[in-house]
Amino acid sequence: MSGFKKEAFGYIKDMFVQHNMIKRTVLSVLSVLVMGFAISLFSLSGFGVDPYTSMNMSLSGALGVGFGTFQLIMNIAILIFVVIFAHRGLVGVGTVFNMVLVGYTCEFFEGLFAGLVGGSLYQRLALLAAGIVLMCFASSLFFTANVGVGPYDTLAFMITQASGVPMKWTRVFTDIGVVLIGLGASGGFAALLSGDISQIKNIGIGTVITAFCMGPLVNFFNKHLSARILNVDYEGMSRDLAFFLIKGPLLKNSLRAVTDAHFERAETSRSR
């Protein structure tokens, strides 16, 4: 336990000595709040939400638990698993903000605007378009702030680490998996079998867009807005996300392991 506390303190210390940490932390909080607002627009549009949110909304509805609370519980469970079995370099203050705030922010704004949104197709399309733009901006800002990975995002990393399958494919697998869980929890399979797709909840074109089609717009925001806000050159991060999510933590942990081994040998030599 003392070793774990020492390592956890080391990660926290590392984070707060990084360049522009206060500014990056504030922007990380802002990005998470915008992300929650964007998801609420997706939900209000009726065209479906992102895969992870679709599962949590469906499960929380089936269990009678508030969406924000249920998503927090799921995020905590994933985070504990990451801390124990994966690379703790993935976890940062941004991870905590994402874990706690996204679900409750979405729940707050969806409740706030639910009575103001009608069933007009044009209005729903406008909400979907606004949700896409805001989600891409928020994702770009969160990614560029670089103070931790969202809890759900770590699942693809862990599968890649264990299997060697490229992360772009493991993310597809996790997205398909959570969508299937959401379909099962909300009665979506029964709706598909009956041919009444209007009864499918939380899954639609918005789900497809958030899962597969946001990359170019996120990269645009990375290059032209987020990087300028933070005064950094993160264009390379858009070209090679795997380095920062996989190779970066692997390198950090391998260096830490080498350093620890060196000090252990030094301590052993002195004790002799």
Side-chain angles (χ1 to χ4, degrees):
M1 180 61 74
S2 61
F4 172 77
K5 289 181 179 179
K6 182 179 178 181
E7 186 172 356
F9 177 76
Y11 275 112
I12 294 171
K13 184 178 178 181
D14 288 347
M15 287 189 295
F16 280 96
V17 297
Q18 292 177 23
H19 176 66
N20 266 346
M21 188 59 198
I22 294 177
K23 182 178 181 181
R24 287 160 58 199
T25 300
V26 171
L27 290 174
S28 176
V29 175
L30 176 63
S31 71
V32 168
L33 295 175
V34 175
M35 200 177 298
F37 176 59
I39 294 172
S40 74
L41 296 183
F42 273 103
S43 183
L44 289 168
S45 76
F47 286 115
V49 293
D50 64 276
Y52 183 54
T53 300
S54 72
M55 179 190 73
N56 288 334
M57 282 186 170
S58 296
L59 286 172
S60 64
L63 296 173
V65 180
F67 165 65
T69 300
F70 185 83
Q71 180 144 310
L72 176 60
I73 293 170
M74 289 295 296
N75 284 338
I76 291 173
I78 294 172
L79 187 62
I80 291 172
F81 189 81
V82 170
V83 169
I84 295 174
F85 296 106
H87 291 287
R88 296 180 190 126
L90 293 170
V91 179
V93 291
T95 308
V96 178
F97 298 145
N98 187 294
M99 175 180 74
V100 176
L101 295 177
V102 171
Y104 285 117
T105 304
C106 170
E107 193 174 34
F108 170 77
F109 282 113
E110 188 172 4
L112 184 65
F113 296 124
L116 304 177
V117 176
S120 164
L121 177 61
Y122 294 110
Q123 188 179 48
R124 293 172 59 205
L125 287 172
L127 289 172
L128 177 64
I132 291 170
V133 172
L134 288 174
M135 175 65 84
C136 289
F137 169 63
S139 298
S140 170
L141 194 60
F142 183 79
F143 171 60
T144 309
N146 195 26
V147 287
V149 179
Y152 173 67
D153 297 324
T154 63
L155 293 178
F157 160 76
M158 289 188 289
I159 296 173
T160 292
Q161 179 190 10
S163 65
V165 177
M167 189 169 173
K168 64 180 180 179
W169 294 114
T170 58
R171 181 56 185 254
V172 172
F173 297 153
T174 57
D175 283 348
I176 291 174
V178 295
V179 166
L180 292 177
I181 293 171
L183 277 172
S186 63
F189 289 123
L192 285 173
L193 291 173
S194 67
D196 187 6
I197 60 174
S198 64
Q199 295 302 310
I200 297 176
K201 301 176 182 177
N202 308 316
I203 297 171
I205 187 62
T207 310
V208 176
I209 290 171
T210 54
F212 301 108
C213 306
M214 295 201 320
L217 191 52
V218 171
N219 288 340
F220 173 83
F221 281 122
N222 282 346
K223 181 178 179 180
H224 297 287
L225 191 58
S226 299
R228 294 183 180 182
I229 291 173
L230 283 155
N231 192 29
V232 293
D233 180 15
Y234 275 176
E235 186 175 359
M237 294 172 70
S238 301
R239 294 193 300 268
D240 192 7
L241 176 62
F243 175 82
F244 290 89
L245 292 186
I246 300 176
K247 296 178 184 177
L250 284 171
L251 177 62
K252 181 174 181 178
N253 280 3
S254 65
L255 290 174
R256 187 180 296 277
V258 169
T259 304
D260 291 344
H262 171 76
F263 283 113
E264 286 178 7
R265 287 195 296 270
E267 289 292 333
T268 302
S269 299
R270 282 197 294 268
S271 64
R272 290 176 180 174

